[in-house]
């Protein structure tokens, strides 16, 4: 899909479909009114006749309206003008995109809520357009044998700006949004693939392919022997019961001076979490193919950064493994030595995410990172605490936590701050090792993060628990691509020098 900002002061561009927005009191902004005037006020008449109520997300396609420069005009409802903001804008564009993709139009020009009274800057509006329209074209990797669905006709979307300066700002937003959407789609593809396809080896291969695609990216994939040489005893304990070998994937993106400290993103890459010897119950065990969503999201954010050639240094680390039961699998009560030297009593083999992550966090130290963010579908407890709406955010660094929170707000991919600290760390005490890998049912998301914090001392570190946000279950089962928008916004914002 091509996205372009055009200077179109008089709303007179011809296209296969013009899209105009109406508020639920019938009001239109200047551009929409001009388009409507040319068709004799048809939109206004339809509104007056109650044929189009302009509720948020309503659409009505007008075919060949007399006088119009475009053979189609799509009306889209913007709801109440008073309530109109970022979420409403997103909903409006989403509805417009859905309707557009059902038409035969190959290109479209959008005239949606460009009125100056709306409190949304041009960059944000444009970014939402390319992000949302692209998301509507996403299709799950198709492993069905029937006839393939036809690709949509729509190839080009233009947004109208009133002057050249605004158009330039909007083009930046469009480019950023399109790159974010590519990152999201990359992430969703990986997470949606079945676990017999998306193995640790496969994740490594996809990362290596990214290394070939992007000039500034160097990718190294470490196998079991080298992981052992690094003394990653916690990571290896998770992997030892699986027939699929583990992979430590290290992607170094260099967009800035080599001396500038990198941001380090770490992803939990459990390609299937059976629970191991602490086997999970059968219901919804299939969803544990999504347990590599953290890995998928940090790779997705990397795709966005590389596409935009962001002037930052970024290191992405993925600890990829299965978690399986077997005769040689790790057992409850086993004690392992992590790369940090701390010993861990594994009381529950289903708390495996923190075991692979703790060694990845220790590994990240060699890059002397400016910030470390790990992303993981870590705990069911986080889903209980926050539902499927917000990701959990824990950090040992106040400014970093605030920066991440703000990125989530701007990207409509929010995270909610949750505590860590001595109280929670105390729950992890073990009689036999430096710490246990579980801390009881109470505050499970916080004790998991507290476990990780034991490996993040003196780092500027944050943890995102995405167990509730990374995928949806039910009829629409599939990956959401979260938190790629949050991470991408974070990186874009860092690149801008804050
Ligand atoms: N991958 C799961 C967390 C999870 C559970 C994500 C449900 C999404 C939905 C993780 O590895 C896990 O099994 N965590 C355990 C930890 C417990 C044993 C302390 C959990 O949350 O039950
Ligand atoms: Mn588990
Ligand atoms: Zn898991």
């Amino acid at each position: 899909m091509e996205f372009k900002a055009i200077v179109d002061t008089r709303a007179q561009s011809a296209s296969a479909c013009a899209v105009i927005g109406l508020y639920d009191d019938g009001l239109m902004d200047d551009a929409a009114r001009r388009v409507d005037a040319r068709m004799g006020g048809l939109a206004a008449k339809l509104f007056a006749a109650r044929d189009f109520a302009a509720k948020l997300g309503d659409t009505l396609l007008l075919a060949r309206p007399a006088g119009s420069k475009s053979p189609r005009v799509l009306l889209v409802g913007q709801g109440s003008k008073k309530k109109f903001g970022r979420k409403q804008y997103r909903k409006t564009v989403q509805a417009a995109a859905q309707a557009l993709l059902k038409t035969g139009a190959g290109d479209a020009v959008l005239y949606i809520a460009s009125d100056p009274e709306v409190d949304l800057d041009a960059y944000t509006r444009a970014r939402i357009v390319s992000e949302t329209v692209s998301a509507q074209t996403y299709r799950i990797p198709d492993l069905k044998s029937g006839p393939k669905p036809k690709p949509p006709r729509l190839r080009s979307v233009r947004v109208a700006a009133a002057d050249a300066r605004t158009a330039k700002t909007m083009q930046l937003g469009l480019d950023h949004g399109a790159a974010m959407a590519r990152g999201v789609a990359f992430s969703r593809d990986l997470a949606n693939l079945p676990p017999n396809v998306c193995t640790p080896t496969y994740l490594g291969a996809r990362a290596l392919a990214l290394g070939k695609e992007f000039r500034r990216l160097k990718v190294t994939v470490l196998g079991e022997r080298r992981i052992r040489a690094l003394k990653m005893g916690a990571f290896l304990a998770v992997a030892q019961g699986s027939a699929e070998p583990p992979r430590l994937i290290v992607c170094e993106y260099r967009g800035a001076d080599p001396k500038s400290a990198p941001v380090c993103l770490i992803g939990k890459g459990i390609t299937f979490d059976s629970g191991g010897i602490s086997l999970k119950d059968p219901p919804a065990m299939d969803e544990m193919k999504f347990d590599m969503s953290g890995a998928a999201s940090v790779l997705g954010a990397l795709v966005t950064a590389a596409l935009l050639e962001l002037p930052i240094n970024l290191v992405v680390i993925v600890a990829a493994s299965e978690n399986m039961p077997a005769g040689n699998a790790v057992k409850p009560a086993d004690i392992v030595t992590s790369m940090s030297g701390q010993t861990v009593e594994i009381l529950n083999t289903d708390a495996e995410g923190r075991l692979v992550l703790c060694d990845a966090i220790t590994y990240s130290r060699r890059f002397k990172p400016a910030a470390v963010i790990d992303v993981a579908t870590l705990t069911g407890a986080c889903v209980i605490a926050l539902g499927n709406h917000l990701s959990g955010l824990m950090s040992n660094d106040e400014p970093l936590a605030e920066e991440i929170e703000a990125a989530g707000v701007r990207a409509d991919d929010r995270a909610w701050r949750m505590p860590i600290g001595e109280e929670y760390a105390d729950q992890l005490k073990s009689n036999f090792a430096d710490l246990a890998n579980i801390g009881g049912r109470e505050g499970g998301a916080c004790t998991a993060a507290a476990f990780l914090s034991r490996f993040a001392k003196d780092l500027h570190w944050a943890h995102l628990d995405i167990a509730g946000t990374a995928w949806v279950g039910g009829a629409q089962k599939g990956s959401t691509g979260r938190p790629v928008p949050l991470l991408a916004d974070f990186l874009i914002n860092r690149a801008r020098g804050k």
Side-chain angles (χ1 to χ4, degrees), residues 338-350:
S338 67
M339 185 182 183
S340 72
Q342 296 179 89
T343 57
V344 181
E345 185 182 19
I346 299 178
L347 289 173
N348 188 322
T349 66
D350 199 10

Side-chain angles (χ1 to χ4, degrees), residues 422-446:
E422 276 312 309
E423 308 90 319
Y424 296 98
D426 282 349
Q427 284 179 243
L428 298 164
K429 282 194 171 136
S430 159
N431 273 351
F432 305 103
D434 294 340
L435 72 170
N437 79 326
I438 54 169
R441 256 166 57 79
E442 293 82 8
C446 302

